[in-house]
């Protein structure tokens, strides 16, 4: 599914983010920036050890939840990986929503700083970190749409691993665009 907001294309993709050919792919990392399971493991495997070496060298202190750091994408088609540790869901009273929005905003602005025109996001925090997908997808979509005018990004992909996640994003993309237009 694909929608246009102004001149920017928002595309929902089902599959594996490591195959994306966007300038940037975003990694749902942890604060150590030393790799892990899920999408983080897939990105490090596909990109190769260069990514981990750069993380260790450039970011010895790791990265705080809600912030973002950039490395090469190694062997993948993308130019860069932006690593952002999402919040662990602890019931919703621990600032989880603001921190998740912060991941999307920081990633978008860091991509802009590196001259990216296209970017692909996974569904941050909705796997091992258990953030409810319905709420997370609304935050993912609205935060990006709100911050796009601050960038020269022309294409945003949301890469969803499961059909059910894809369908939730599909429904919420429709409503985000309606709100944007003030319908
Ligand atoms: N492409 C796209 N999406 C994927 C892929 C892939 N190759 N693999 C998994 N997903 P998760 P989190 C989906 O657990 O919740 C790691 O160990 C997955 O189905 O990867 O932010 C890190 O090191 C889910 O919908 O990330 C952290 O410790 C989504 O990506 C921790 O997990 C996010 O699931 C981060 O947990």
């Amino acid at each position: 599914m694909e929608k246009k907001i102004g001149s920017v294309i928002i595309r929902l993709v089902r599959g594996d983010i490591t195959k994306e050919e966007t300038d940037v792919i975003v990694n749902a990392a942890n604060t150590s920036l030393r790799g892990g399971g899920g999408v983080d493991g897939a990105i490090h495997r596909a990109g190769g050890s260069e990514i981990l070496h750069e993380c260790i060298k450039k970011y010895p202190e790791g990265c705080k939840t809600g912030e973002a750091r950039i490395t090469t994408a190694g062997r993948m088609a993308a130019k860069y990986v932006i690593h952002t540790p999402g919040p662990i869901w602890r019931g919703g009273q621990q600032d989880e929503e603001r921190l998740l929005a912060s991941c999307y905003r920081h990633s978008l602005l860091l991509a802009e700083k590196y001259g990216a025109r296209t970017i692909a996001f996974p569904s941050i925090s909705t796997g091992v970190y258990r953030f409810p997908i319905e709420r997370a997808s609304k935050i993912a979509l609205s935060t990006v749409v709100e911050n796009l005018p601050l960038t020269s990004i022309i294409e945003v992909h949301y890469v969803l691993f499961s059909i059910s996640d894809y369908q939730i994003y599909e429904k919420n993309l429709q409503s985000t665009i309606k709100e944007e237009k003030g319908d």
Side-chain angles (χ1 to χ4, degrees):
M1 181 198 191
E2 193 172 290
K3 292 275 173 195
K4 264 193 143 182
I5 298 186
S7 56
V8 182
I9 293 170
I10 310 277
R11 183 178 295 160
L12 305 185
V13 179
R14 249 207 82 206
D16 178 0
I17 199 166
T18 67
K19 306 280 192 281
E20 286 291 302
E21 295 183 358
T22 44
D23 294 334
V24 166
I25 63 176
V26 175
N27 180 18
N30 60 58
T31 55
S32 77
L33 298 190
R34 298 296 177 265
V39 71
D40 195 5
I43 286 173
H44 281 273
R45 271 194 305 279
S49 57
E50 214 187 327
I51 299 179
L52 181 60
H53 289 146
E54 195 176 332
C55 282
I56 292 169
K57 199 168 159 211
K58 281 173 69 179
Y59 311 117
E61 72 296 352
C63 177
K64 286 188 187 146
T65 301
E67 295 186 4
R69 299 289 182 270
I70 194 162
T71 67
T72 172
R75 292 192 300 254
M76 291 183 288
K79 293 193 188 103
Y80 303 107
V81 174
I82 289 181
H83 306 264
T84 184
I88 299 171
W89 180 259
R90 294 194 169 93
Q93 304 304 312
Q94 311 273 328
D95 225 13
E96 293 96 326
E97 296 197 341
R98 187 190 62 80
L99 288 167
L100 186 63
S102 175
C103 288
Y104 285 94
R105 192 179 61 255
H106 276 114
S107 298
L108 206 60
L109 298 180
L110 187 53
E112 168 67 13
K113 197 170 155 193
Y114 278 74
R117 308 301 300 277
T118 57
I119 183 166
F121 288 98
S123 184
I124 301 165
S125 282
T126 65
V128 177
Y129 284 178
R130 302 183 317 273
F131 201 118
I133 181 78
E134 174 71 28
R135 283 202 210 185
S137 62
K138 286 182 180 160
I139 293 168
L141 293 160
S142 62
T143 306
V144 168
V145 168
E146 279 162 27
N147 286 280
L148 272 173
L150 306 174
T151 75
S152 357
I153 286 170
I154 54 167
E155 201 165 313
V156 180
H157 296 183
Y158 292 92
V159 184
L160 292 324
F161 219 42
S162 70
I163 296 187
S164 58
D165 287 356
Y166 181 96
Q167 287 168 340
I168 291 167
Y169 268 74
E170 195 169 39
K171 170 175 73 78
N172 289 329
L173 178 56
Q174 305 279 13
S175 46
T176 305
I177 286 175
K178 272 192 195 148
E179 279 163 24
E180 185 69 7
K181 287 182 184 158
D183 295 358

